[in-house]
Amino acid sequence: KEKEGMDFKGAVKYLGNRFSVDTSGFFSAKSSQKEQIYLESRRINRTACNFFGKNLLLKDKNGDYFYKDAVQYLKNRKMPFAIIKEFKIGYAPPSWDALIKSLSSNKISVKNMYALGLVNVSKNNPNHFYDNFVNRIMFPIINEREEIIGFGGRSIDGKEPKYLNSKESLIFKKKSCLYGINIAKKYILKEDEIILVEGYMDTIACHKMNIKNAVGSLGTAISEEHAIEIKKYTNNVVLALDGDEAGIKATQKAILILLKFDLKLTILSIKETKDLDEYFTIYNRNGFDNLYKNRLDWYDFIVESCIREKKEPNNLSIEEKLKIVNILYKYLNELKSETEKQMIISHIASKLSIDREAFNKDYINSFKSNRENKFLNYNSNNYVLKNKNIKTDNNFYYENSLIYLLALNPSLIKEAEREIGVDLFKKDITKEFFIRLLTLGKDATSEDALNILGNENIANRIKSKENLYKDNIEEKLEELIIKMKSGDLDYKRKELLNNNLNSIQNKDSFESICAKAREIHLLNKQKEKLHQGS
């Protein structure tokens, strides 16, 4: 399980296949039904991948490439054939129905193509479908088990969007995908380090230079889900996002998220070019090695990104130093190790020439009491009683109750992780506690869980309610998960209703209003199905 980075179910199936043991009866009927959908989805994506791959290499009767523009684009990007083959790169032709015809000939329904985002439906005719990816270089998104779960398409004719990804589906969740993980995982385990870049081309650029432990985030912001995936392989992360203004801000946000998972972070400071792909057009592997050798600890990066114009800390005014210190507080607060916090505080105090004890005292006063009080005021038994004069925040009530349940019964954590994502938590503090609990191993005790929360007072409060969370724990977990999912659907529905009201008031197009109405209808159906299954 640890060696391959598999989840429990994947490990069971792997061992069953290896030793010729039938594991089909190991999982529930509900799981088997889901598995059938997974299998068909993977078959469809695999067939589509073969179609894209054949297009790229298609030649006419004279032996010339049929789609010369696509081949020339890859040549211009210095993409060797070995890399094209390794990453299974292909091409979607300039046709609105080529993929539909190909998949239909393989007995794949248009409905299933649509579910995976391979085709779209006409706004004017709900029975007319057309290819979603047209005249694009295709990058299959492959998970750690070598399963094709989605696609990214790069426009080669200047049409927007430049990059188009598959839509979310049962097998494709963009915010948790690491592009190239199928190739990189064994190198990550070997090096005990992952290099995290921004997208397809940066990932491929690294692999061209034999930097095999690099993966990409599909051009999206680094998320908690990415961090959970990374933790399967290593605790050491080298962030190598774009070096422009947007990239620096993205790196700052990524640091804040990754620290919550107790990951050790260093930053590649790319100043000469916009990104790694462009960097490798100028510099060779030796240039990267120097860049890697001079990578920054995350806290030095934060300081340097704040003082870029000033160049040196000595040139900063008192106000500017205070601003940097205040920015650092929120990062320090994500660290679990008090020793690490104190060492960083000493380092930054020396770097900025400020009083170390004053820095430390201000940090403690600014955060600890505020965070503790925020959680304690919402404990799962007296929250409503303490807030009789305000409308009950039911979502936070359920979030809070779930943290109590999981902390006192850590055997439920993996089941909770399978059922709900981090994004279901609306409050930062419960989200953080959930993330911390996810880092525990399968043999963790309630004492381990309470300790990892990082606050003795909160741990004691939770422990005092132990009797309320020791019976029927599976039923309580299921109930809380349904309540949270239902609350999330209500939240999305309310947002859409407000948006639709604004659309009507602003006299938006009829199609736009109808599209929002369809989304609301879909959410209603999802909620109805959720409660039918409970």
Side-chain angles (χ1 to χ4, degrees):
K1 182 177 173 182
E2 290 179 6
K3 184 177 178 182
E4 296 295 330
M6 295 179 179
D7 59 14
F8 173 70
K9 188 173 179 180
V12 170
K13 289 189 173 184
Y14 171 79
L15 292 171
N17 291 334
R18 184 173 177 182
F19 297 107
S20 302
V21 176
D22 181 16
T23 61
S24 59
F26 194 87
F27 306 105
S28 68
K30 188 176 179 182
S31 296
S32 297
Q33 186 180 6
K34 241 181 190 179
E35 188 62 29
Q36 289 303 312
I37 299 172
Y38 280 135
L39 287 171
E40 178 62 6
S41 298
R42 291 163 191 154
R43 181 181 82 88
I44 294 169
N45 280 339
R46 189 166 59 248
T47 307
C49 181
N50 291 337
F51 169 77
F52 295 136
K54 287 176 182 177
N55 284 331
L56 183 64
L57 301 177
L58 188 65
K59 293 183 179 181
D60 61 23
K61 60 183 180 181
N62 297 320
D64 297 323
Y65 284 108
F66 196 79
Y67 297 112
K68 295 182 177 64
D69 289 346
V71 174
Q72 190 59 48
Y73 174 84
L74 293 175
K75 284 182 179 178
N76 292 343
R77 300 300 295 261
K78 295 182 171 57
M79 195 85 71
F81 180 75
I83 287 288
I84 292 171
K85 184 178 178 182
E86 187 176 31
F87 282 85
K88 303 184 190 301
I89 296 167
Y91 174 65
S95 164
W96 293 103
D97 61 358
L99 180 61
I100 290 177
K101 287 179 179 177
S102 177
L103 295 184
S104 296
S105 69
N106 283 275
K107 299 182 179 179
I108 294 169
S109 70
V110 178
K111 180 182 175 183
N112 285 344
M113 298 179 211
Y114 178 71
L116 294 174
L118 292 169
V119 302
N120 277 327
V121 62
S122 170
K123 291 179 181 179
N124 301 320
N125 182 356
N127 296 315
H128 176 68
F129 292 86
Y130 59 91
D131 289 0
N132 188 31
F133 299 102
V134 176
N135 198 17
R136 290 177 179 271
I137 297 295
M138 298 301 294
F139 301 93
I141 301 163
I142 306 172
N143 67 14
E144 70 276 10
R145 295 182 295 276
E146 294 290 343
E147 297 161 344
I148 300 166
I149 57 174
F151 294 92
R154 208 289 186 189
S155 170
I156 62 171
D157 57 8
K159 287 186 179 177
E160 294 294 333
K162 185 164 73 172
Y163 282 97
L164 179 66
N165 290 308
S166 295
K167 70 178 184 181
E168 298 268 312
S169 68
L170 189 63
I171 63 170
F172 178 59
K173 309 295 180 188
K174 184 179 176 183
K175 61 186 174 184
S176 65
C177 288
L178 296 171
Y179 180 66
I181 190 64
N182 58 310
I183 300 166
K185 66 177 184 178
K186 67 180 180 181
Y187 300 99
I188 296 166
L189 291 167
K190 181 181 177 182
E191 300 290 335
D192 192 21
E193 183 178 79
I194 191 169
I195 297 176
L196 186 56
V197 302
E198 198 156 310
Y200 303 104
M201 296 308 298
D202 282 359
T203 305
I204 290 168
C206 287
H207 283 253
K208 282 196 298 183
M209 288 292 173
N210 207 33
I211 303 160
K212 296 289 190 179
N213 59 330
V215 298
S217 66
L218 304 189
T220 61
I222 306 302
S223 68
E224 288 95 345
E225 287 79 5
H226 286 131
I228 292 168
E229 290 300 309
I230 289 167
K231 287 284 285 186
K232 293 178 182 177
Y233 304 99
T234 183
N235 286 318
N236 301 304
V237 181
V238 179
L239 270 177
L241 305 186
D242 290 358
D244 58 7
E245 189 69 31
I248 289 169
K249 288 181 179 178
T251 302
Q252 291 169 340
K253 290 178 181 178
I255 291 168
L256 197 58
I257 288 167
L258 296 174
L259 287 178
K260 293 178 182 179
F261 288 81
D262 202 23
L263 292 162
K264 306 305 175 190
L265 301 174
T266 52
I267 317 297
L268 284 190
S269 185
I270 306 167
K271 297 176 180 177
E272 296 89 344
T273 60
K274 179 183 176 292
D275 54 33
L276 274 178
D277 183 35
E278 187 179 314
Y279 183 89
F280 285 126
T281 64
I282 301 171
Y283 301 97
N284 57 18
R285 174 60 192 263
N286 289 335
F288 175 84
D289 290 342
N290 288 329
L291 196 65
Y292 179 86
K293 184 178 179 182
N294 294 307
R295 67 195 188 281
L296 299 173
D297 289 311
W298 66 264
Y299 41 86
D300 283 326
F301 174 83
I302 295 297
V303 173
E304 288 205 9
S305 65
C306 290
I307 64 173
R308 279 173 294 159
E309 297 82 8
K310 297 288 181 179
K311 303 296 183 185
E312 294 294 333
N314 293 335
N315 296 331
L316 297 173
S317 66
I318 293 173
E319 289 78 9
E320 287 167 333
K321 289 182 180 181
L322 285 172
K323 183 179 178 181
I324 293 171
V325 167
N326 283 319
I327 289 170
L328 281 164
Y329 286 161
K330 63 183 177 182
Y331 293 92
L332 291 170
N333 208 54
E334 301 303 338
L335 300 176
K336 296 183 180 71
S337 168
E338 194 61 38
T339 303
E340 186 180 8
K341 286 181 187 178
Q342 295 304 319
M343 291 172 70
I344 292 171
I345 285 171
S346 295
H347 174 79
I348 298 299
S350 174
K351 188 166 189 168
L352 297 179
S353 300
I354 58 176
D355 184 77
R356 185 237 181 267
E357 294 306 318
F359 182 4
N360 188 43
K361 187 176 179 181
D362 284 349
Y363 162 67
I364 293 170
N365 291 339
S366 295
F367 274 87
K368 289 229 171 178
S369 60
N370 179 52
R371 288 164 58 80
E372 179 180 316
N373 290 336
K374 186 176 180 182
F375 188 81
L376 293 178
N377 286 339
Y378 284 95
N379 81 76
S380 60
N381 283 298
N382 64 11
Y383 168 67
V384 178
L385 295 177
K386 281 189 172 186
N387 296 275
K388 289 179 180 178
N389 298 324
I390 64 172
K391 185 177 179 181
T392 304
D393 187 344
N394 285 329
N395 284 346
F396 192 27
Y397 176 84
Y398 299 132
E399 290 178 22
N400 210 52
S401 297
L402 183 62
I403 298 300
Y404 273 63
L405 180 65
L406 297 180
L408 293 169
N409 303 279
S411 62
L412 299 175
I413 290 172
K414 292 303 176 187
E415 177 62 25
E417 183 183 3
R418 282 192 289 270
E419 290 294 328
I420 58 176
V422 175
D423 59 327
L424 227 59
F425 288 81
K426 305 305 178 190
K427 299 291 184 180
D428 287 342
I429 191 164
T430 47
K431 179 185 286 188
E432 180 185 337
F433 285 156
F434 183 63
I435 289 168
R436 290 190 177 205
L437 290 170
L438 291 182
T439 64
L440 291 170
K442 64 176 181 178
D443 299 321
T445 64
S446 60
E447 185 179 352
D448 296 329
L450 293 170
N451 286 338
I452 208 166
L453 297 180
N455 189 296
E456 189 176 350
N457 286 344
I458 290 173
N460 289 337
R461 177 63 67 91
I462 293 174
K463 196 171 183 180
S464 71
K465 309 298 179 185
E466 197 167 8
N467 288 336
L468 299 172
Y469 293 92
K470 66 179 183 181
D471 298 322
N472 303 317
I473 57 175
E474 288 84 3
E475 289 84 352
K476 286 177 180 175
L477 175 64
E478 184 178 1
E479 182 184 356
L480 287 170
I481 287 171
I482 290 171
K483 294 287 188 185
M484 286 179 64
K485 286 182 176 179
S486 179
D488 184 57
L489 291 172
D490 286 340
Y491 176 81
K492 290 175 180 175
R493 183 175 176 275
K494 185 178 178 180
E495 276 198 329
L496 279 170
L497 283 169
N498 290 335
N499 289 341
N500 223 9
L501 183 61
N502 292 334
S503 295
I504 293 169
Q505 290 172 345
N506 295 333
K507 297 182 179 179
D508 287 354
S509 69
F510 179 72
E511 289 81 4
S512 174
I513 294 169
C514 285
K516 290 186 176 72
R518 282 194 292 271
E519 288 184 61
I520 293 168
H521 176 71
L522 181 60
L523 290 174
N524 289 338
K525 286 288 186 184
Q526 287 176 346
K527 187 169 181 178
E528 184 181 320
K529 188 176 180 181
L530 178 67
H531 287 285
Q532 283 175 349
S534 59

